[in-house]
Every structure is written in C-alpha cells, then in structure tokens.
Amino acid sequence: MTNQTVSILVVDDEPPIRKLLRVGLGSQGYTVSEASNAKAAIDLMQTERPDLVLLDLGLPGMAGLELLGKWRSEGLDIPVVILSSRTDESGIVAALELGADDYVTKPFGMNELVARIRVALRHKFQQQGEKPVFHTGDLSVDLVKRIVKVEGKEVKLSPKEYDILRMLVQHAGKVLTHQFLMKQIWDDSTDVQYLRVYVRQLRQKIEKTPDQPRYIITETGVGYRLREIDTNEQRNCGKSV
C-alpha cells in the first residue's frame, strides 16, 4: 500500500490542528478527512472506511476514550493513533488498554507522526498475513521454531524472556502496557517489578548496549514497544560500526 491509497480520518476539535494535519499529511500523499467531534466521526464512519484514525482525547460531548471504546466494542479494527495534549500516564494507559495502536503527545513533529502512522499500518498488515520469521536490524525471531538470533548467532532465552519478546514481536511498533504484558505472560496480577526484571535480562541478551536499548523501548510509566528499524537506518548503522 502506497501513501496515495491511504486514507486518514482526523478527529480533533481544534481547527488549527486539523489544518496542520490536512496540509502536512496531504503533502506526504495521504488522503485526509476531518471530524470536529465524536458524532461527526461516527456519521462519517457510516459512509466511508478510512485506513487509520488520528483521534484526539479531549473532544467535546463524547470524549475520545468513549468513542474509542465504542468503536472497539463494535468490532472496528481500524488502527487508531491517539493525539493528545494529556501527558498523564493514566489517560495514556486507558487509551492503549481500550485498543489504541499508539499515542503521540501534542505538540508533535510531523516526521514522528508519519513514522508512527506507517508503523501502525504495517502492524495491521502483518496481523493479516503474519510472517513466521520477524526481522528488525540484526535481530531475528522465528516464531515457529522459537529461535532468536542476533547478528546471525543464536541467543538462548528463558521461557519467560521468550514469551515477552514474542508478545512484543507480534505487536511490533505498538506500545504494550505493563498490565497487558503481565496478563498475557503471567495471567494474573503479578507485580510489575517482575516484568521489569525479565525485560532487563532480555535486553542484556539482545541489545548491544542494554542501558541504551535499540529494540525494546521503554514508554515511561506505560509499558514497552519493540522498535522496528527501517532499511535506511540499518544501512547507516552498518556504515558507522
């Protein structure tokens, strides 16, 4: 799918933000439609189906979280990226737990936003035709054979370390909250410190510099995200080594 065929619905009550996104995303080749509130977004969704939604949380009337919950409860699986001036962890976590694919805080850079959009779309397509072997940078994960390699050399992981990495791979590019990971890995209300310990151990095994991770990125107070490294970045990194 090229940018020219991707349609994005912007749901935001601030006209300057909508104009910024309309112009910025339009210059990147995306088709942009707009809604200033939840009702307008719901009505628009009845007549057209965008490829991705950029959703503000602070909408008048029905709040963005309520709209997201309504869509997800109705089975709408379109990628949703949250745009919000809220920086409180509870709001971000609530949006992700309701099924948001990512979040970007205002003010934001257009380059970062476009990168997040591409990752959200790519994740959706991977779910539709998921490949058994995942590659990013020098890391490869064979989800069938359960083999993890870094720079072509196999890395031995404990069962819990592998389970965490597998979840991150299956949702590559998407922020996974602490609660989501703990429920999926331990199936109970395990202390988040257990998760942090295993992530630290996992980084020791797959990261060249564990204290400055390249793959497993911490979203402070929220959770973790497996970063996908594009071809250009990989090529540049290879030149600098």
Side-chain angles (χ1 to χ4, degrees):
M1 176 176 283
T2 62
N3 290 7
Q4 284 74 14
T5 64
V6 174
S7 59
I8 296 176
L9 169 61
V10 176
V11 187
D12 197 299
D13 65 324
E14 298 182 63
I17 294 293
R18 296 202 305 273
K19 180 179 179 180
L20 171 68
L21 293 170
R22 181 174 69 251
V23 174
L25 295 176
S27 69
Q28 296 285 329
Y30 296 101
T31 299
V32 179
S33 55
E34 305 172 32
S36 60
N37 53 55
K39 183 180 184 303
I42 293 170
D43 291 343
L44 190 147
M45 199 68 75
Q46 301 298 320
T47 58
E48 58 183 83
R49 188 57 57 95
D51 296 300
L52 181 139
V53 176
L54 295 177
L55 176 63
D56 178 35
L57 293 183
L59 297 175
M62 180 187 292
L65 281 179
E66 186 178 352
L67 177 59
L68 175 61
K70 171 180 170 61
W71 277 340
R72 291 310 191 220
S73 68
E74 293 172 350
L76 188 70
D77 61 353
I78 292 172
V80 175
V81 175
I82 298 298
L83 294 181
S84 179
S85 56
R86 293 177 59 177
T87 57
D88 60 294
E89 296 171 6
S90 60
I92 294 170
V93 169
L96 293 168
E97 292 289 342
L98 278 173
D101 291 78
D102 204 347
Y103 70 92
V104 177
T105 54
K106 300 176 183 177
F108 52 84
M110 188 57 64
N111 289 338
E112 178 192 2
L113 178 60
V114 169
R116 298 287 187 119
I117 288 171
R118 288 173 178 164
V119 168
L121 290 169
R122 186 160 62 242
H123 174 240
K124 175 63 179 176
F125 300 145
Q126 286 173 341
Q127 284 183 317
Q128 294 172 345
E130 190 172 336
K131 296 180 180 180
V133 181
F134 173 86
H135 294 276
T136 182
D138 295 321
L139 174 68
S140 71
V141 182
D142 189 321
L143 296 172
V144 177
K145 298 180 180 178
R146 297 172 65 93
I147 296 175
V148 178
K149 293 183 179 180
V150 177
E151 295 183 333
K153 298 179 181 179
E154 187 172 348
V155 177
K156 296 296 184 182
L157 303 181
S158 71
K160 282 288 186 285
E161 290 167 354
Y162 177 80
D163 286 343
I164 293 169
L165 182 58
R166 174 178 56 82
M167 290 304 304
L168 289 168
V169 164
Q170 290 176 333
H171 300 273
K174 181 176 180 179
V175 181
L176 300 185
T177 65
H178 296 131
Q179 292 91 334
F180 176 84
L181 283 167
M182 290 186 296
K183 183 177 181 181
Q184 296 297 316
I185 305 303
W186 283 276
D187 198 29
D188 59 24
S189 56
T190 302
D191 191 314
V192 70
Q193 190 59 34
Y194 282 100
L195 175 61
R196 293 192 176 110
V197 168
Y198 278 107
V199 169
R200 184 164 59 247
Q201 293 173 177
L202 182 55
R203 282 174 170 157
Q204 292 288 338
K205 295 181 179 181
I206 70 170
E207 302 276 6
K208 285 186 177 181
T209 309
D211 291 338
Q212 296 177 314
R214 186 184 182 201
Y215 300 116
I216 301 177
I217 306 303
T218 298
E219 299 287 351
T220 305
V222 179
Y224 300 98
R225 170 172 56 91
L226 184 67
R227 181 164 165 259
E228 294 187 271
I229 298 172
D230 63 32
T231 303
N232 290 333
E233 181 179 352
Q234 174 64 15
R235 187 182 301 115
N236 292 336
C237 288
K239 289 179 180 179
S240 64
V241 172

